[in-house]
Amino acid sequence: MPEISSTLRNLTGGGSDGWEVFARARQMIASGTPVTELTIGEHDIRTDPSILAAMDASARGGHTGYAMVPGIEALRRKVAERIEAATGVPTQFDNVLITPGGQAALFAAHLAVCRQGSKALFIDPYYATYPGTLRGVGGVATPVQAHPEHGFQPRAADIDAQADGAASLLINSPNNPTGVVYTRKTLEGIADVCKKRDLWLISDEVYETQIWEGEHISPRALEGMDERTLVVGSMSKSHAMTGSRCGWIVGPKDVIAHLTNLATHTTYGVAGFVQDAALFALNEGAELEARIAAPFERRRAITLEKLKAQNTVRMIPADGAMYVMLDIRATGLSGEEFANRLLDERHIAVMPGESFGRAAAGHIRVAMTIEDTAYGAALETLCGFAASLCD
Ligand SMILES: Cc1ncc(COP(=O)(O)O)c(C=O)c1O
């Protein structure tokens, strides 16, 4: 067989991809050992029946052929309206490209703005696919650490220190894996560096509807940022539509026109019936989004309650998204050791912080994605296990 390209061979950067605990948990389940899985960002509810009905009606109505490559105009208009309402920045349908999910949007956005061999900055801790995405477009994936002692809020000076030779910066608020929502001060600091260093900002806002404390601020709203920001959004988390693969990029019209050319040569758009379902879901408004987000807010409260009773495990204030990041450094174990032993000794699967970069070492990420009672019981067991390590 001839060799495959170095771009693909190097996509994962070699070595461990950090998903071993997850893979082991799946193996244990397959061989009959029950495991409580608190690993991936998948809702425990399915897509709402009303959204499925809209999808069904669209498909049966004939929307099964090629859809418009940049997205159907009604959906592009709806997303534009939503972004304009959130940011105050005039936004039209041709500022919007519909993509097959947020992940494809992240890849396309970076392909649009990264020069081959230039640095593509991202904040550590990070969503697991980020470095591979940046390498995949020929960028030099360069982490900028956000530290637990700063509540995982990135600091402008740390970004600035890495900005020589960089074309772009990727941020994510509300954040996966930490659950942290970036403050206005953080975002203004980021915006200042982007303007000073002439960087593109890719803002991954797929958790924008899951906010428990503070407010979601899109950097597109900050002065002078709309011309250098590409906002990535998705129906996956906000509407429990992970499998439907529908997301978007919002940015300057010229960039969207180029990205439409890219889509013509890659995805050729998103299924029309999926877009119609997404349009229906967005038209349902905030009530549906709040209903889908509510379980995570309840479970965050359960987490706070369970952690009150002990002092070994410390919670990073989780202001949004479907995860909590727990500091387990008091046990003396690394996140990886803790997660592996928790799986073997208590049959609970969580993600080691190290899977999300160096900055989250000594932490674990808990996905709040199982039913409340079982979730509360799992957290109690987790805390008991952590305490037993300190005896
Ligand atoms: C931070 C972040 N960005 C993007 C994605 C991709 O989501 P999707 O491709 O389903 O829209 C995820 C999924 O977990 C995520 O956590």
Side-chain angles (χ1 to χ4, degrees):
M1 183 173 87
E3 234 182 83
I4 61 162
S5 77
S6 60
T7 306
L8 286 205
R9 273 188 284 113
N10 298 331
L11 202 68
T12 59
S16 143
D17 66 359
W19 288 84
E20 290 81 7
V21 178
F22 173 72
R24 276 206 319 116
R26 285 287 158 103
Q27 275 164 10
M28 284 167 74
I29 294 168
S31 57
T33 307
V35 172
T36 304
E37 273 196 282
L38 303 171
T39 45
I40 56 170
E42 178 87 84
H43 312 68
D44 48 323
I45 54 164
R46 297 280 79 118
T47 305
D48 196 79
S50 64
I51 300 175
L52 296 180
M55 200 181 293
D56 184 64
S58 169
R60 286 178 195 281
H63 212 169
T64 53
Y66 291 122
M68 295 293 288
V69 169
I72 58 172
E73 200 172 307
L75 181 59
R76 296 172 79 194
R77 284 192 191 284
K78 184 68 201 172
V79 172
E81 186 189 296
R82 182 183 175 88
I83 297 279
E84 183 168 318
T87 60
V89 177
T91 308
Q92 276 103 34
F93 81 95
D94 45 357
N95 291 112
V96 179
L97 175 81
I98 304 299
T99 63
Q103 184 59 51
L106 286 167
F107 188 87
H110 281 92
L111 195 56
V113 301
C114 278
R115 296 179 294 275
Q116 287 292 314
S118 63
K119 275 158 80 180
L121 306 180
F122 65 105
I123 307 296
D124 168 0
Y126 52 84
Y127 172 49
T129 66
Y130 280 4
T133 303
L134 307 185
R135 279 191 290 269
V137 304
V140 179
T142 308
V144 177
Q145 295 203 346
H147 301 283
E149 51 282 16
H150 303 135
F152 287 116
Q153 299 273 340
R155 287 187 312 179
D158 295 335
I159 299 167
D160 192 57
Q162 295 279 6
D164 282 350
S168 62
L169 167 66
L170 168 59
I171 62 168
N172 168 226
S173 175
N175 186 265
N176 176 12
T178 62
V180 166
V181 173
Y182 291 178
T183 61
R184 180 173 290 279
K185 185 165 167 258
T186 295
L187 287 164
E188 282 176 349
I190 288 171
D192 286 345
V193 179
C194 288
K195 286 184 278 192
K196 183 173 119 195
R197 300 302 214 111
D198 200 22
L199 299 180
W200 282 97
L201 181 62
I202 319 287
S203 179
D204 178 345
E205 304 181 17
V206 303
Y207 294 99
E208 61 167 340
T209 61
Q210 300 176 351
I211 297 276
W212 330 128
E213 292 282 341
E215 55 170 335
H216 170 65
I217 301 167
S218 171
R220 180 171 166 83
L222 302 180
E223 206 195 321
M225 286 305 288
D226 58 327
E227 66 196 51
R228 61 175 67 251
T229 302
L230 299 177
V231 174
V232 168
S234 171
M235 298 300 290
S236 287
K237 313 294 178 175
S238 58
H239 292 82
M241 288 179 70
T242 48
S244 290
R245 314 310 303 137
C246 189
W248 52 79
I249 302 172
V250 176
K253 292 181 182 182
D254 182 48
V255 181
I256 297 299
H258 283 290
L259 283 168
T260 302
N261 285 337
L262 175 68
T264 301
H265 295 89
T266 52
T267 62
Y268 215 78
V270 175
F273 50 90
V274 167
Q275 295 192 65
D276 282 340
L279 178 60
F280 167 86
L282 291 177
N283 278 332
E284 288 295 281
E287 194 271 328
L288 176 58
E289 290 164 20
R291 188 147 48 84
I292 291 163
F296 306 118
E297 186 165 22
R298 284 201 310 273
R299 292 167 200 159
R300 169 183 177 265
I302 293 171
T303 316
L304 287 169
E305 193 52 44
K306 297 289 180 197
L307 292 195
K308 248 198 236 156
Q310 54 84 60
N311 50 24
T312 311
V313 178
R314 216 175 54 79
M315 177 173 154
I316 302 300
D319 297 333
M322 44 219 276
Y323 316 96
V324 286
M325 186 67 109
L326 303 178
D327 181 346
I328 50 87
R329 286 176 290 182
T331 66
L333 298 187
S334 69
E336 215 148 14
E337 289 162 341
F338 186 94
N340 275 301
R341 287 189 55 184
L342 184 68
L343 179 61
D344 290 330
E345 297 174 33
R346 298 290 191 278
H347 297 177
I348 296 174
V350 298
M351 293 296 290
E354 291 84 355
S355 309
F356 307 102
R358 279 173 48 203
H363 291 69
I364 52 168
R365 187 195 76 171
V366 176
M368 301 183 283
T369 47
I370 59 170
E371 168 282 316
D372 295 15
T373 313
Y375 178 76
L379 267 194
E380 250 175 62
T381 306
L382 186 157
C383 290
F385 174 68
S388 74
L389 295 170
C390 300
D391 286 345

